[in-house]
Amino acid sequence: MSLKERCPVIEFKDLGDERGKLVVIEGNESIPFDIQRVFYIYGSDPEVVRGQHANRDSEFVLINVAGTSKVRITDGKEEFVVALDRPMIGVYIPKMVWKDMYDFSSDSVLLVLASTHYDGKEYIRDYQEYLKEMTENEG
Ligand code: TYD
């Protein structure tokens, strides 16, 4: 499976009507995991790069509920960029996939749904270490 196939952009159902928009995300239904944690990132300047890590145990879905940002996704071999530019789309990031978030608009609110409670020890923050682990796990 290609990296893009492993990290699909999910289009959530828009239940809006003349009163406004409404987007619902249910764990294990519209996204492939139970939601254990929610956090959001805002107030990041456009030149800031966030993320810059892979997680051994956590899966994520990233959604720009306001404004826009970009996510660069790589497994050390393939790489692609998702523009999070609408509140009804999210990108799924499985375990052991590296992500960088950048190009934040001034009004960006990046909502992150996570499959685990926070544990700083499951983060790989050194890209060389990540590449080493990925190569070791190949065969
Ligand atoms: P960090 O992982 O660097 O943020 P990002 O990857 O989104 O750029 O997290 C910033 C700080 O917040 C760091 O000290 C860890 C802490 N933190 C938590 O305590 N719980 C969490 O769920 C997250 C995502 C971060």
Side-chain angles (χ1 to χ4, degrees):
M1 211 191 271
S2 72
L3 183 65
K4 258 191 170 168
E5 286 167 333
R6 292 174 56 220
C7 306
V9 173
I10 304 168
E11 184 114 11
F12 303 114
K13 225 185 262 169
D14 176 8
L15 305 177
D17 55 29
E18 66 286 350
R19 297 168 301 166
K21 305 282 191 193
L22 187 139
V23 176
V24 181
I25 300 163
E26 296 204 35
N28 274 327
E29 290 193 8
S30 34
I31 65 169
F33 56 81
D34 246 342
I35 301 162
Q36 295 289 329
R37 176 167 49 121
V38 173
F39 57 95
Y40 44 94
I41 295 167
Y42 64 98
S44 284
D45 288 333
E47 65 273 11
V48 164
V49 181
R50 301 200 58 131
Q52 301 191 282
H53 45 59
N55 293 71
R56 290 195 173 84
D57 302 322
S58 300
E59 300 161 65
F60 300 97
V61 168
L62 277 60
I63 304 153
N64 256 103
V65 291
T68 60
S69 71
K70 294 197 178 83
V71 195
R72 184 169 38 243
I73 298 169
T74 182
D75 61 0
K77 289 192 165 165
E78 296 172 61
E79 177 182 313
F80 69 102
V81 173
V82 176
L84 294 175
D85 54 5
R86 287 174 290 142
M88 67 289 289
I89 63 163
V91 61
Y92 171 65
I93 315 262
K95 296 173 193 175
M96 286 304 282
V97 168
W98 189 274
K99 59 233 171 271
D100 301 322
M101 296 89 86
Y102 62 102
D103 239 1
F104 296 95
S105 64
S106 57
D107 59 347
S108 171
V109 181
L110 178 60
L111 177 71
V112 183
L113 311 175
S115 65
T116 59
H117 290 284
Y118 182 71
D119 174 7
K121 296 193 294 297
E122 61 115 5
Y123 281 67
I124 306 173
R125 292 182 180 272
D126 179 331
Y127 191 62
Q128 294 310 316
E129 183 192 332
Y130 170 71
L131 289 179
K132 190 164 165 274
E133 278 202 30
M134 292 300 282
T135 314
E136 281 168 3
N137 292 339
E138 257 173 25

